[in-house]
Amino acid sequence: MTSTPTTGTPVRTPPDAGTPTRVWLVAMLTVLCLELIRASGPLLDRAFAGGAASVAVTALGTYAAAGLVAALLLLVLGRTSGTPDARTLLLGTAALGVLRLVVQALDGEALFVVGLVAVAVCVAVLTLAVAFVAGRPAGGRQAAIGLMIGCGLSVGLQLVLGTWDAVWRDGWVGWVVAVALSVGALVTARGLVSFTARATSASAAEATGRPRRLWVLGLFLALAATVVANPAFVASQSGVALGWAGLAVVLANSVGTWALLRADPWRGPVRVGAAVLVVAGAAGALWLSGVAALVCVVVLELCLGIVLSAALSAHRPAPRGIVRTGAATLVVGLGTIGPLLLYMLDYDVPLPVDNVWVMVLAALGLALSGLRRRTPGAVPALTSPDRMPARTSSVRLLILPALVLALLGFLRSDASATGADVPARAAGDDLTLVDWNLHYGVSPLTAVDLEGIAATIETFDPDVVALQEVQRGWVFGGGSDMATWLAHRLDMTVHFAPAADHQFGNAVLARSELTDVAVHPLPFGVGPQARSALSTTLTTADGTEVRVTSVHLQHREPSTPTRLAQLTALADAEPVRPPAVLAGDLNAEPGWPEIERLEAGGWVAADDTLLTFTAQQPDRKIDWVLGQGVTFRTPTSPQTSLSDHSPLVVELSVDD
């Protein structure tokens, strides 16, 4: 039902055969957009060579360019009114599909350029699609359903892929996903053009208004990329196995989407309650940990659709001109990257407040946008449009693909948060250890090659692996769950220690059981990033217990006082009981006070000559393996292009 323009009398909304097509197009574009937003993190990492300012300018310019792309699409088709039609969406989707396939084929500098262009195009096309769908009676609800289904599909697809996105895969899996997404979106857009051509009324073919609060789409995308459509984040934050965490997210998403299919609009108290719970859910998901964080994400998923529906259901007459639509799209682009940029750059240029506040304020802006229904100058027929058509069974079916993907992903994932079931003891008394700073999985060549990392580790046949800069849902690293993926791929057990946050830290993997796990937060000092150490015990074949610690000390050369304080804190928290091994990125070179402090404490380095940084042109040693009560043999540091650090590989035996 909707209301007439003159009397406001409720009338029944007739069935609309185009509803499933419009909803599915928004959903497909949402999946593509979230994938490319995640991909923009590793792409922008390339700009870090010029510092934080270079990254910020590149990121803002990329996402702001979405406004220019939207204006060009409208201009090409002569849409001088600024209102997108089905042909605009077909052209934009076709361009996006081609770019997505080209991105799949590129690497290096070409990938950096074309990939960022694809990001701008995707944000523009999704914004135009939401404006087109929401700019009609009941359209706000339909656009919200499409966005929610898209989030569920994105999570389901990530679970099937183990959170390692297809855009970074060179093999057939990457191409199958790229083709499926591109062709699926294009076919849907073509179907929408066919439907509008057959429509018997102008209102069925054209949007008669536009959402007054289209800007809310940017905040939604930022929150989705960080939390709502980020199963790696949920798994790490909650400590729940990736498969279970992702399945819970998709189930909650499906229930929240199903609730949007009710015929009647939401009353004021429900909208207010949903708005409050969206803010509380986002805050709890980011500030809490354990099962409480998972519960908060579920609450967020259940309520987000209601807020989106209300926000996108307040309309004004169709915009007057291309410039206005381009400006609105620019705001969406900046609304997407602004929160993400502030949230992520806090790790290099600390904010004066906890960076969690950035995403909480984004959730607050999203929540407030859905509170007020009527706005001055709104079109009467469009002020209460968030009712669904009488028949919605075909729309309900669109929820199923996300559930199917999530179930498939769940079945192929580990049921344990600590990876594979392994024997209690190592295979022998002599151990091979690999230490490696993985640069959150992003190579200097602009790639995220988790298979390459795993294959490299596998060639050393290690008993234990100490890793630093392991990301679990970090958008700047592509949003994968590296700890879970590597443990699954290498058939190892894994333990992870948060550092900067629950999405970035240290890990230890082993082919045998790890016991007595302890996470040691280290002093922040001069910053700019929180650090930690992870200690655990590995038992050799003869029953000897070896204490293994993976640590990452503060970077930047002038931070020696902070690193010394961190070493002191670690020594106090983890008194040495030989045999023990300390492995990690100490950000200190031979002869520096940090190394002298360790040597004075009885630690002996496996070597002090192998250069580990940068991996492509090593000119310094900052990665170390040290021991007490052990003897090291044959240390090596193979060069690699998979990280900015080279791995250190050593064999060790326990002293008699």
Side-chain angles (χ1 to χ4, degrees):
M1 299 176 71
T2 187
S3 55
T4 66
T6 55
T7 66
T9 304
V11 295
R12 181 167 295 279
T13 304
D16 182 357
T19 297
T21 305
R22 288 192 292 268
V23 168
W24 189 246
L25 180 60
V26 171
M28 292 294 291
L29 291 173
T30 301
V31 177
L32 279 164
C33 200
L34 288 172
E35 181 194 44
L36 288 171
I37 289 172
R38 290 192 298 271
S40 71
L43 293 174
L44 291 168
D45 185 76
R46 191 182 185 99
F48 249 127
S54 175
V55 175
V57 170
T58 305
L60 293 172
T62 296
Y63 281 82
L68 177 61
V69 173
L72 288 174
L73 288 172
L74 294 168
L75 186 63
V76 167
L77 292 176
R79 300 293 298 176
T80 56
S81 67
T83 307
D85 64 352
R87 293 182 309 134
T88 310
L89 299 184
L90 178 60
L91 176 61
T93 303
L96 174 61
V98 170
L99 281 171
R100 176 62 186 85
L101 293 176
V102 171
V103 163
Q104 195 69 33
L106 298 178
D107 56 22
E109 183 70 26
L111 174 60
F112 172 73
V113 175
V114 177
L116 292 182
V117 170
V119 171
V121 171
C122 196
V123 172
V125 176
L126 177 60
T127 303
L128 292 175
V130 170
F132 173 80
V133 174
R136 63 188 66 243
R141 182 85 69 92
Q142 294 173 32
I145 291 171
L147 291 168
M148 291 298 292
I149 289 176
C151 283
L153 283 169
S154 179
V155 173
L157 182 59
Q158 286 180 85
L159 290 178
V160 170
L161 296 174
T163 69
W164 182 28
D165 277 338
V167 70
W168 302 112
R169 296 185 179 223
D170 295 329
W172 66 269
V173 172
W175 279 103
V176 167
V177 174
V179 171
L181 292 177
S182 301
V183 173
L186 183 59
V187 169
T188 307
R190 182 67 184 88
L192 185 60
V193 171
S194 298
F195 169 77
T196 55
R198 299 191 307 269
T200 57
S201 65
S203 62
E206 297 281 348
T208 55
R210 74 171 179 87
R212 290 182 61 90
R213 300 165 189 149
L214 188 59
W215 52 265
V216 79
L217 177 61
L219 299 182
F220 166 79
L221 290 173
L223 194 62
T226 307
V227 179
V228 175
N230 191 338
F233 165 90
V234 178
S236 183
Q237 198 77 10
S238 66
V240 176
L242 177 65
W244 285 108
L247 187 60
V249 169
V250 173
L251 287 172
N253 172 278
S254 299
V255 172
T257 305
W258 188 281
L260 293 178
L261 297 175
R262 67 194 300 269
D264 297 325
W266 300 102
R267 297 186 180 276
V270 175
R271 295 198 307 276
V272 171
V276 171
L277 289 175
V278 161
V279 178
L286 289 156
W287 263 311
L288 300 178
S289 58
V291 177
L294 178 59
V295 171
C296 288
V297 174
V298 168
V299 169
L300 182 57
E301 295 277 359
L302 293 173
C303 299
L304 187 57
I306 297 175
V307 171
L308 272 176
S309 176
L312 296 174
S313 294
H315 293 67
R316 63 170 28 137
R320 297 181 296 277
I322 293 175
V323 173
R324 189 165 186 170
T325 302
T329 307
L330 180 148
V331 172
V332 171
L334 293 179
T336 301
I337 191 57
L340 292 175
L341 193 61
L342 285 173
Y343 184 78
M344 299 303 300
L345 286 184
D346 173 73
Y347 302 115
D348 195 66
V349 183
L351 300 173
V353 296
D354 190 338
N355 68 337
V356 169
W357 278 107
V358 174
M359 301 313 301
V360 172
L361 290 175
L364 178 62
L366 182 61
L368 292 176
S369 70
L371 290 182
R372 185 170 179 173
R373 290 289 301 280
R374 290 190 176 273
T375 51
V379 180
L382 295 176
T383 53
S384 301
D386 62 338
R387 300 175 184 271
M388 285 299 292
R391 293 197 297 269
T392 58
S393 57
S394 56
V395 179
R396 289 190 178 95
L397 293 177
L398 300 181
I399 300 174
L400 292 179
L403 291 168
V404 172
L405 287 174
L407 184 59
L408 290 175
F410 172 77
L411 292 176
R412 70 175 298 277
S413 67
D414 291 320
S416 169
T418 56
D421 185 15
V422 294
R425 296 186 180 186
D429 296 333
D430 293 344
L431 304 174
T432 299
L433 179 145
V434 173
D435 173 69
W436 200 357
N437 180 319
L438 294 178
H439 191 59
Y440 40 91
V442 180
S443 83
L445 303 179
T446 314
V448 178
D449 188 359
L450 300 189
E451 172 58 32
I453 292 171
T456 299
I457 293 173
E458 199 171 38
T459 60
F460 306 132
D461 192 25
D463 298 284
V464 60
V465 183
L467 301 175
Q468 302 84 47
E469 293 197 25
V470 176
Q471 64 99 358
R472 304 187 66 189
W474 232 37
V475 177
F476 244 47
S480 66
D481 186 343
M482 290 179 65
T484 298
W485 198 94
L486 290 173
H488 184 79
R489 166 64 175 78
L490 295 169
D491 198 27
M492 288 182 164
T493 190
V494 63
H495 288 279
F496 174 79
D501 54 22
H502 282 272
Q503 285 66 62
F504 181 92
N506 308 309
V508 175
L509 296 91
R511 298 197 184 281
S512 58
E513 186 177 348
L514 296 171
T515 59
D516 300 324
V517 179
V519 177
H520 306 299
L522 302 179
F524 186 83
V526 298
Q529 191 177 111
R531 303 290 185 180
S532 72
L534 172 65
S535 297
T536 186
T537 297
L538 179 145
T539 305
T540 64
D542 67 0
T544 303
E545 294 184 342
V546 180
R547 194 66 169 165
V548 178
T549 297
S550 175
V551 63
H552 190 185
L553 300 185
Q554 197 62 264
H555 68 299
R556 295 181 180 171
E557 187 170 336
S559 297
T560 288
T562 295
R563 287 190 288 271
L564 291 173
Q566 290 173 337
L567 289 174
T568 298
L570 178 59
D572 292 340
E574 187 72 31
V576 179
R577 297 182 180 87
V581 177
L582 178 67
D585 178 2
L586 303 184
N587 279 304
E589 300 182 40
W592 285 21
E594 298 90 326
I595 306 305
E596 292 177 349
R597 167 77 63 84
L598 289 168
E599 291 173 342
W603 291 99
V604 177
D607 84 283
D608 57 6
T609 59
L610 292 173
L611 305 180
T612 59
F613 187 83
T614 61
Q616 289 68 47
Q617 296 178 321
D619 60 2
R620 73 195 80 165
K621 177 180 181 58
I622 58 176
D623 301 276
W624 296 79
V625 175
L626 305 102
Q628 293 195 39
V630 299
T631 297
F632 294 113
R633 298 185 303 278
T634 61
T636 60
S637 182
Q639 284 188 254
T640 176
S641 61
L642 295 167
S643 170
D644 59 348
H645 291 246
S646 295
L648 269 176
V649 185
V650 299
E651 297 177 5
L652 64 97
S653 58
V654 177
D655 295 341
D656 295 332

